[in-house]
Amino acid sequence: MCTDCETTQAGPVFGRRHFFGLAAAAAALSTGMARADDCAHFDSEALKAASPDQAIQMLMDGNARFVAGGSLNCDLVALGHATAEKQTPFACVLACMDSRSAPEQVLDQQIGDVFVARVAGNVATTEVIGSFEYGTAVAGAKAIMVLGHNHCGAVKGAVDKAVVGDALTTLLNEIEPAVAATPLTGERSSHNHEFVEAVAEANVRMNVAALTEKSPVLKGLVDSGALKIVGALYNLETGVVTLLS
Ligand SMILES: [Zn+2]
């Protein structure tokens, strides 16, 4: 039985949803992001008018709704119909495959809003970079967020130098540079929580850098001001996404 579900069906929450609807509308006005309403799909006109900073702000506004329990709960079937012929997502998100860190949920984004690539350890593989070249240079998304998280099993595996299969070992090796670059106090072990979280942050920063280092297309967009790439960390306990400065 889902006690949360009972809570969200209670009367007072409707008012809260309405409140957050107004708050989101106010945020949209303040950032100049035009939508007919909170649950209208992001169209090409809005995308054209959006700046990279506004796109990032929309992601962070969504996380604020999620944390406050005020997710929009839009009609996803209706949005599926509305975007079936054409999608115009405003951002790309690279996240870990972790079941607890789904970007559409923790950033409260709807169908048609974001391109999402997920790989254990949020590693910017060639396939991810190619996907984001499409999402930005072809489809026009204005921002990329690399979203790591605490208690990451992939980071722990890299810290422990876990060996399972060739493919997994190859993937974990991609996180090794972040392990090597993180000052170690205490033992190199996944039980060293402070070290694990420091590696997770370093890993996000390195993958943010990798996107432009490995992709002249993404670098060109960033240099021209058409695209902004940011790193962020999701906290499993609080639900809060924090941008890395
Ligand atoms: Zn993870």
Side-chain angles (χ1 to χ4, degrees):
M1 189 70 187
C2 171
T3 51
D4 284 349
C5 297
E6 288 182 339
T7 304
T8 55
Q9 286 162 13
V13 177
F14 177 78
R16 195 168 64 190
R17 279 182 196 162
H18 180 60
F19 169 78
F20 280 102
L22 292 175
L29 284 174
S30 67
T31 56
M33 303 291 277
R35 287 195 198 219
D37 61 62
D38 292 345
C39 286
H41 72 277
F42 206 74
D43 61 22
S44 52
E45 200 175 319
L47 181 64
K48 207 170 161 186
S51 72
D53 284 334
Q54 288 170 331
I56 293 164
Q57 189 59 48
M58 285 188 72
L59 298 177
M60 298 306 288
D61 288 347
N63 178 247
R65 290 193 300 270
F66 171 73
V67 171
S71 297
L72 293 176
N73 296 315
C74 299
D75 183 342
L76 298 180
V77 174
L79 279 169
H81 284 299
T83 57
E85 295 291 330
K86 182 176 172 58
Q87 63 168 340
T88 47
F90 63 86
C92 301
V93 182
L94 167 57
C96 181
M97 68 177 284
D98 195 292
S99 67
R100 303 161 293 181
S101 66
E104 294 90 337
Q105 293 171 334
V106 306
L107 298 170
D108 192 31
Q109 300 302 319
Q110 317 303 316
I111 284 178
D113 285 348
V114 286
F115 287 114
V116 173
R118 300 185 69 178
V119 179
N122 37 273
V123 174
T125 64
T126 301
E127 293 80 2
V128 167
I129 292 172
S131 300
F132 284 179
E133 286 179 346
Y134 171 79
T136 56
V138 180
K142 300 296 179 71
I144 297 175
M145 175 182 280
V146 178
L147 182 61
H149 67 99
N150 59 346
H151 308 301
C152 180
V155 170
K156 289 179 180 177
V159 167
D160 286 338
K161 294 186 178 178
V163 176
V164 181
D166 288 347
L168 179 55
T169 301
T170 300
L171 177 58
L172 295 183
N173 282 343
E174 295 291 323
I175 304 174
E176 178 58 30
V179 178
T182 303
L184 175 62
T185 303
E187 60 174 340
R188 174 173 166 157
S189 157
S190 58
H191 298 297
N192 186 343
H193 298 299
E194 202 172 310
F195 183 61
V196 167
E197 304 319 346
V199 171
E201 180 175 333
N203 184 50
V204 168
R205 292 185 188 281
M206 286 185 164
N207 281 290
V208 167
L211 290 172
T212 47
E213 287 168 1
K214 296 180 178 177
S215 170
V217 172
L218 296 180
K219 186 174 187 315
L221 290 171
V222 169
D223 289 348
S224 72
L227 173 69
K228 196 164 184 177
I229 303 177
V230 295
L233 285 169
Y234 173 64
N235 185 299
L236 296 184
E237 282 91 1
T238 65
V240 172
V241 169
T242 303
L243 288 175
L244 299 180
S245 55

